[in-house]
Amino acid sequence: MGPRYYFRLNDLAGSQLDTLESMRNGGLEAGSHERVIDAGYLPVRESAIPLNEKRIQADRFAAEAVMQGAHLYARGVRNCKNLKAGMSVTVVDPSGTPVGSGIARQSETSILRYHQGIAVEILNSDSFSLLCEKHPGTRLA
């Protein structure tokens, strides 16, 4: 049994068993905690992050959000030297660890001047592969 992501089951919306069953019917491998009655879990799987030559550094809080699948917003950008809209980028946390990959939606100038909007649209690995097929110029490091 590998690592698990635990969450609280709210019985106001329906019974806890119904909630878990609904999650399983949706294709998730949800289970209930062995000892804590109102806790459920999902197994954690590692995912590969496509690495690009261009890196953009996010602050700690933005990097945590990106790790969970959120887009990187301009306010969370710490460093984006020579970034141009449309570039394939890897988002890294303050220590340099990759946390996500995607497409820059703003340039360095726009991010630093306005501090608004999505800076990088995060793509999962399947979306990124599809993008590379449609646009052969997209390169992975």
Side-chain angles (χ1 to χ4, degrees), residues 10 16-17 20 25 30 35 47 50 54 82 97 106-107 110 114 116 126 129 140-141:
N10 183 350
Q16 295 169 354
L17 292 176
L20 288 173
N25 290 339
R35 290 177 273 173
S47 63
K54 190 65 185 166
N82 300 322
T97 304
Q106 296 185 48
S107 66
S110 178
Y114 302 112
Q116 293 180 337
D126 295 337
S129 299
L140 298 175

Side-chain angles (χ1 to χ4, degrees), residues 43-120:
V44 176
R45 294 190 194 104
E46 286 191 38
S47 63
I49 298 173
L51 300 177
N52 303 290
E53 290 178 26
K54 190 65 185 166
R55 305 290 167 105
I56 183 169
Q57 187 181 52
D59 67 29
R60 184 179 71 125
F61 302 107
E64 288 175 5
V66 168
M67 282 194 319
Q68 294 182 23
H71 298 309
L72 176 61
Y73 285 82
R75 288 212 177 262
V77 174
R78 288 181 66 178
N79 187 343
C80 59
K81 212 172 260 188
N82 300 322
L83 183 69
K84 292 179 179 46
M87 291 178 115
S88 298
V89 298
T90 297
V91 178
V92 297
D93 69 7
S95 68
T97 304
V99 295
S101 288
I103 304 299
R105 294 296 173 215
Q106 296 185 48
S107 66
E108 174 186 14
T109 305
S110 178
I111 291 169
L112 298 177
R113 181 175 293 160
Y114 302 112
H115 300 286
Q116 293 180 337
I118 295 175
V120 177

Side-chain angles (χ1 to χ4, degrees), residues 11-12 27-28 34-36 56 58 77 80-81 87 96 100 106 114 119 122 132-133 136-137 139:
D11 57 2
L12 295 176
L28 298 173
E34 297 81 22
R35 290 177 273 173
V36 180
I56 183 169
V77 174
C80 59
K81 212 172 260 188
M87 291 178 115
Q106 296 185 48
Y114 302 112
I122 300 300
C132 291
E133 288 173 16
R139 295 183 339 184

